[in-house]
Amino acid sequence: SRGVRLTAEGQTLYGYVQRGYETIREGERKFLEMQELTSGEVCIGASDMTLQFYLLSYLEQFHEKYPKIKITVSNATTPETLVNSEKKITPETLKYLQSGRIDFGVVSTPMETTKNMHVIPVREIEDVFVAGRKFEYLKGGKLSYKELEHLPVMCLEGNTSTRKYVEEFLLGEGVVIHPEIELATSDMLIQFAKRSLGIANVVRDFAQEEIEKGELFQIIFNKKIPARQFCIVSDDRVPLTAAAEKLLELLQHK
């Protein structure tokens, strides 16, 4: 009834216990926020192409639904690496995934993956050749790929998966091209093609708007280049946050 007081030793101990308890409560609060998607972060790896023609619209939907989730996109190219004296396609995005820098990546085929990686195809893409008005004499028929050897071809630089994929297909057709112009991005190829500086090899999505406007046309060949795919790639060894799992769920929703 007269009450109690802490001793000096008890007061010292209480100060540490109080701070520890408050830290635990704050951790619980943050954990619940992340589970309820009112806080948190998702880190994604993507190239310019996968971001523009697949991922961006989904990120917009996700942000509208969960505006407090921080979204980080690591934009990466797809260089060739030398493995066992052979050229292999190893996207930088997959290196980010293996190092735990990202939760998952969106990558275009072809690519080299490890046994721990889970690959989900989500969208087809088509490699084509497009040209401007100066080359309209090529319209109206089906060309042989052999004719490309005598035309001014424009391609992406040689360290991209797109360039390597198309060159390997053409080699299978007995065709070797020596591009007159090599550029860093597909957007630049489109601009050069619109000015009839050559015939551009691009993924059709990049040229779709110009084709519809009549500024470019697709050259038709006697055989289509086999379609490639955009794929979501995750690593079984990388635990996903609640935000990453929710975004993955959205990306796989048809």
Side-chain angles (χ1 to χ4, degrees):
S1 61
R2 293 193 299 272
V4 294
R5 288 187 308 171
L6 290 172
T7 62
E9 292 88 347
Q11 191 66 46
T12 299
L13 178 60
Y14 175 76
Y16 287 100
V17 172
Q18 182 185 35
R19 290 195 295 272
Y21 179 70
E22 289 173 352
T23 300
I24 291 170
R25 290 296 301 272
E26 178 65 14
E28 289 176 338
R29 186 179 67 80
K30 286 291 185 183
F31 174 78
L32 288 174
E33 285 180 355
M34 293 174 71
Q35 291 300 106
E36 294 168 0
L37 301 180
T38 56
S39 176
E41 181 179 6
V42 56
C43 300
I44 311 156
S47 66
D48 287 338
M49 182 168 62
T50 57
L51 185 59
Q52 182 175 347
F53 295 115
Y54 176 71
L55 192 55
L56 193 56
S57 62
Y58 287 102
L59 292 181
E60 183 181 9
Q61 295 175 47
F62 185 81
H63 181 65
E64 287 178 357
K65 194 170 183 180
Y66 308 106
K68 296 191 181 228
I69 299 295
K70 179 182 177 182
I71 300 172
T72 301
V73 179
S74 294
N75 186 273
T77 57
T78 308
E80 292 175 0
T81 58
L82 201 61
V83 180
N84 296 330
S85 300
E86 294 182 0
K87 285 182 178 179
K88 301 291 184 180
I89 293 298
T90 306
E92 196 71 17
T93 295
L94 299 189
K95 295 178 182 177
Y96 292 167
L97 184 62
Q98 289 176 304
S99 66
R101 179 173 169 179
I102 58 175
D103 295 304
F104 62 87
V106 182
V107 183
S108 60
T109 58
M111 58 182 161
E112 291 289 321
T113 58
T114 67
K115 64 180 180 179
N116 299 302
M117 292 182 181
H118 185 53
V119 180
I120 305 171
V122 289
R123 186 182 185 283
E124 278 197 350
I125 54 175
E126 181 184 3
D127 295 282
V128 298
F129 288 86
V130 296
R133 293 184 178 88
K134 179 181 174 182
F135 298 95
E136 286 188 344
Y137 67 90
L138 297 174
K139 279 185 175 180
K142 290 187 177 181
L143 276 67
S144 162
Y145 283 107
K146 197 72 178 172
E147 295 180 58
L148 286 174
E149 294 182 338
H150 308 291
L151 292 169
V153 176
M154 303 186 297
C155 294
L156 290 173
E157 295 172 344
N159 65 338
T160 62
S161 61
T162 295
R163 171 75 177 271
K164 186 172 188 295
Y165 181 74
V166 171
E167 284 188 339
E168 285 186 348
F169 167 79
L170 292 175
L171 194 58
E173 298 294 309
V175 177
V176 177
I177 58 173
H178 300 284
E180 292 193 6
I181 298 175
E182 297 183 4
L183 297 168
T185 69
S186 294
D187 286 329
M188 291 173 63
L189 283 172
I190 295 301
Q191 295 306 314
F192 274 53
K194 284 168 64 176
R195 289 161 177 77
S196 293
L197 295 173
I199 294 167
N201 169 224
V202 294
V203 170
R204 183 181 169 89
D205 293 87
F206 280 105
Q208 187 64 40
E209 183 178 343
E210 285 75 13
I211 291 173
E212 291 175 355
K213 289 180 179 178
E215 297 174 340
L216 294 175
F217 68 94
Q218 180 179 338
I219 298 175
I220 305 301
F221 291 91
N222 52 15
K223 182 178 180 180
K224 280 190 174 184
I225 300 174
R228 295 188 288 144
Q229 294 176 316
F230 289 156
C231 298
I232 298 171
V233 186
S234 57
D235 193 320
D236 294 337
R237 298 167 299 180
V238 178
L240 295 178
T241 63
E245 287 182 346
K246 186 60 69 174
L247 179 55
L248 267 179
E249 183 182 311
L250 176 64
L251 291 173
Q252 295 175 63
H253 180 69
K254 304 297 184 182

